[in-house]
C-alpha cells in the first residue's frame, strides 16, 4: 500500500457530510411528513425546502459510508487486524452502545414532551444506526482489506488499481450499486436507517471507498479529469427526477445519480480541499461528537422555537443556529475537556489528546 501523505480533503468531506446531515435533519422539521419518521414537525411547513433536500438526500448518507471506508484504509496501514478491531470497537462500538442508552432517550423524551405524550425512558439506536452499520462492515470486510494490504502487488490488487485508473473501471462499481437496488427494491431509495437497503448500500459504499484510496493517485487524477462528466450526469438525472418523474424516478437512475454526486464531491475535494488549517483541525475533532449529540439540540430547539410567532424561514435559521451552537458548545466546554467522556464520543481519552490531529476516518 502506498504510504502516506495525509489526505486533508477526506477530512474536509467528512466534516462537510456531517454538516449537511445536520442541516438536512433541521429541514425535516419543516416538512409535514416529519412526524412519520419520529421528528418534531412544525405546524407551518416550508414545502419549497424539499427541492434542495431531495437532491441532497440521495447522496449525503452514501458519501459518509464511502468516507468511512476510506478511513479504514488509512487505519490499517499501521495496524494488524486485532489492533484494528480493538481501535474501531473503542471508537465506534463504545459510542454506539453509550448513545443507545444515554443519548437517544434524551431526544425521545423531548419528542414525547412536545407532543404531550406520556414521558418515559426509551432506548434504541435512533440516528446512531449508522455507527452500528459501520462497525459491522469493519468486522465483515476486514479479511478482504488485510488480504489486499498484505498482497498489494498481487494480481487482484494490481487488477483493481488498473481498473480504477480508467473511467470504464467505474462501470462495474455502478453495476454493483444498481444490482443492490434492483434486488432489494427500496421504497423510497432514501430510506437508509435500519433497512436492508441501507445496510447493503452502506456495505458497497464502505468497500468501494476503501478501494478508491487503495488504488492510489491514478484513481484520483482520473476522477478529477472527468469531473465535469460527473457534474453533468448528476445534474441531468436530478432534473429528470424532479421534472419528469415528479421525484419518483426508478431506483436504478437514482443510484447512478447518487454515485455521480459522490464522485463529483471526491473529484473537486481532491483538488481544492486537500489543505490543512486550524479550522479543519478543530472541526475534524468536533464532527463526530456533534453528530452524536445533534438530535438532542435539534429537538430542544424545535420545542422552544416552533411555537414562536415568527416567519417560518426565520424559524429554520434559528433552529439551525440553536442546534449547531448547542452541539459546538457541548463539545468545546464538556466533551473535549472531560477526559472520561471523550471515549464515549469517539475521541481519544485524556484532555491532551484533544490537541492532536485526528486520524482520517
Amino acid at each position: 500500500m502506498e504510504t502516506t501523505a495525509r489526505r486533508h480533503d477526506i477530512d474536509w468531506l467528512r466534516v462537510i457530510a456531517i454538516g449537511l446531515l445536520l442541516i438536512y435533519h433541521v429541514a425535516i422539521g419543516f416538512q409535514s411528513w416529519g412526524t412519520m419518521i419520529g421528528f418534531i414537525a412544525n405546524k407551518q411547513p416550508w414545502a419549497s425546502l424539499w427541492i434542495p433536500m431531495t437532491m441532497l438526500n440521495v447522496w449525503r448518507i452514501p458519501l459518509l459510508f464511502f468516507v468511512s471506508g476510506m478511513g479504514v484504509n488509512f487505519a490499517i496501514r499501521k495496524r494488524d487486524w486485532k489492533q484494528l478491531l480493538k481501535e474501531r470497537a473503542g471508537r465506534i462500538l463504545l459510542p454506539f452502545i453509550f448513545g443507545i442508552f444515554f443519548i437517544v432517550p434524551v431526544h425521545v423524551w423531548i419528542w414525547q414532551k412536545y407532543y404531550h405524550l406520556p414521558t418515559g425512558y426509551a432506548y434504541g439506536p435512533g440516528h446512531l444506526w449508522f455507527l452500528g452499520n459501520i462497525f459491522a462492515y469493519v468486522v465483515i470486510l476486514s479479511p478482504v482489506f488485510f488480504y489486499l494490504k498484505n498482497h498489494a502487488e498481487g494480481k487482484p490488487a494490481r487488477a483493481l488499481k488498473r481498473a480504477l485508473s480508467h473511467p470504464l473501471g467505474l462501470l462495474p462499481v455502478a453495476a454493483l450499486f444498481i444490482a443492490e437496488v434492483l434486488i432489494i427494491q427500496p421504497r423510497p431509495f432514501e430510506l437508509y436507517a435500519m433497512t436492508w437497503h441501507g445496510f447493503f448500500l452502506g456495505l458497497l459504499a464502505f468497500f468501494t471507498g476503501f478501494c478508491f484510496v487503495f488504488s492510489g493517485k491514478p484513481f484520483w487524477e482520473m476522477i478529477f479529469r472527468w469531473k465535469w462528466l460527473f457534474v453533468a450526469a448528476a445534474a441531468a438525472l436530478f432534473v429528470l427526477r424532479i421534472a419528469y418523474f415528479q421525484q419518483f424516478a426508478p431506483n436504478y437512475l437514482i443510484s447512478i445519480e447518487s454515485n455521480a454526486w459522490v464522485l463529483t464531491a471526491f473529484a473537486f475535494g481532491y483538488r481544492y480541499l486537500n489543505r490543512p488549517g486550524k479550522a479543519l483541525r478543530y472541526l475534524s475533532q468536533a464532527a463526530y461528537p456533534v453528530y452524536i449529540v445533534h438530535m438532542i439540540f435539534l429537538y430542544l430547539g424545535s420545542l422552544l422555537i416552533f411555537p414562536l410567532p415568527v416567519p417560518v424561514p426565520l424559524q429554520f435559521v434559528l433552529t439551525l443556529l440553536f442546534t449547531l451552537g448547542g452541539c459546538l458548545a457541548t463539545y468545546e466546554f464538556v466533551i473535549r475537556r472531560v477526559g472520561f467522556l471523550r471515549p464515549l464520543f469517539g475521541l481519544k481519552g485524556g484532555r491532551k489528546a484533544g490537541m492532536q490531529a485526528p486520524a482520517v476516518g
Side-chain angles (χ1 to χ4, degrees), residues 30 42 44 46 305-306 308-318:
F30 293 85
N42 198 318
Q44 305 176 69
W46 189 3
I305 294 168
F306 285 3
L308 297 179
V310 297
V312 171
L314 180 57
Q315 289 189 354
F316 174 82
V317 172
L318 291 174

Side-chain angles (χ1 to χ4, degrees), residues 179-187 195-198 200-201 251:
E180 183 274 321
V181 295
L182 292 179
I183 294 170
I184 302 297
Q185 299 183 356
R187 292 291 185 274
T195 65
W196 284 118
H197 167 56
F200 287 112
L201 172 66
N251 281 329

Side-chain angles (χ1 to χ4, degrees), residues 1-4 72-74 76-77 145 148-150 152-153 161 210 213-214:
M1 300 180 69
E2 55 179 40
T3 71
T4 134
V72 171
N73 185 290
F74 290 98
I76 70 173
R77 294 182 182 185
F145 293 162
L148 290 171
K149 173 191 174 181
N150 296 328
E153 299 305 320
K161 293 178 181 180
F210 179 95
V213 173
F214 181 83

Side-chain angles (χ1 to χ4, degrees), residues 85 88-90 92-93 130-140:
L85 291 180
R88 278 340 198 203
I92 298 172
L93 188 60
F130 179 87
L131 300 182
N133 282 29
I134 291 295
F135 188 74
Y137 303 155
V138 172
V139 174
I140 293 168

Side-chain angles (χ1 to χ4, degrees), residues 47-345:
S48 59
L49 264 183
W50 181 240
I51 299 301
M53 284 175 68
T54 193
M55 184 275 283
L56 181 64
N57 204 17
V58 301
W59 61 272
R60 62 184 182 86
I61 292 297
L63 177 64
L64 277 170
F65 282 126
F66 275 98
V67 170
S68 298
M70 291 176 175
V72 171
N73 185 290
F74 290 98
I76 70 173
R77 294 182 182 185
K78 296 182 180 180
R79 296 176 175 87
D80 60 28
W81 68 271
K82 291 181 181 178
Q83 292 169 328
L84 177 70
L85 291 180
K86 180 179 179 181
E87 187 267 344
R88 278 340 198 203
R91 190 172 181 191
I92 298 172
L93 188 60
L94 176 60
F96 177 59
I97 295 172
F98 172 75
I100 285 175
F101 294 104
F102 295 98
I103 299 296
V104 174
V106 177
H107 68 74
V108 170
W109 184 87
I110 298 170
W111 181 84
Q112 294 169 339
K113 192 78 173 174
Y114 182 86
Y115 285 108
H116 306 291
L117 298 172
T119 56
Y121 178 77
Y123 60 88
H127 66 293
L128 302 178
W129 65 273
F130 179 87
L131 300 182
N133 282 29
I134 291 295
F135 188 74
Y137 303 155
V138 172
V139 174
I140 293 168
L141 294 173
S142 284
V144 180
F145 293 162
F146 279 99
Y147 174 84
L148 290 171
K149 173 191 174 181
N150 296 328
H151 300 83
E153 299 305 320
K155 288 184 179 180
R158 285 189 284 114
L160 176 64
K161 293 178 181 180
R162 187 166 54 249
L164 290 177
S165 68
H166 192 281
L168 292 180
L170 295 174
L171 294 181
V173 174
L176 287 173
F177 282 90
I178 290 171
E180 183 274 321
V181 295
L182 292 179
I183 294 170
I184 302 297
Q185 299 183 356
R187 292 291 185 274
F189 178 91
E190 302 89 338
L191 191 60
Y192 309 110
M194 293 176 284
T195 65
W196 284 118
H197 167 56
F199 183 84
F200 287 112
L201 172 66
L203 185 70
L204 287 174
F206 191 85
F207 176 71
T208 305
F210 179 95
C211 292
F212 284 173
V213 173
F214 181 83
S215 298
K217 188 174 180 180
F219 166 78
W220 297 94
E221 293 291 343
M222 180 273 291
I223 63 169
F224 184 74
R225 286 195 302 272
W226 290 86
K227 60 187 179 298
W228 294 114
L229 174 64
F230 303 139
V231 172
L237 287 169
F238 171 63
V239 171
L240 182 67
R241 177 159 58 96
I242 297 299
Y244 182 77
F245 291 105
Q246 285 75 52
Q247 303 181 24
F248 298 103
N251 281 329
Y252 67 88
L253 288 180
I254 300 178
S255 177
I256 298 170
E257 180 192 341
S258 172
N259 283 317
W261 286 123
V262 168
L263 289 168
T264 296
F266 287 143
F268 282 93
Y270 173 68
R271 183 55 58 91
Y272 301 113
L273 295 178
N274 195 12
R275 51 178 61 91
K278 290 183 179 180
L280 177 60
R281 182 188 180 95
Y282 185 84
L283 292 173
S284 290
Q285 285 278 347
Y288 194 5
V290 164
Y291 160 70
I292 292 173
V293 304
H294 81 277
M295 293 293 282
I296 292 176
F297 290 99
L298 170 56
Y299 281 36
L300 184 59
S302 301
L303 179 72
L304 298 174
I305 294 168
F306 285 3
L308 297 179
V310 297
V312 171
L314 180 57
Q315 289 189 354
F316 174 82
V317 172
L318 291 174
T319 306
L320 178 59
L321 292 175
F322 182 93
T323 303
L324 182 60
C327 290
L328 289 176
T330 301
Y331 166 71
E332 176 61 31
F333 299 110
V334 182
I335 298 170
R336 183 170 180 245
R337 299 171 187 270
V338 180
F340 77 89
L341 286 179
R342 291 175 59 86
L344 300 176
F345 292 89

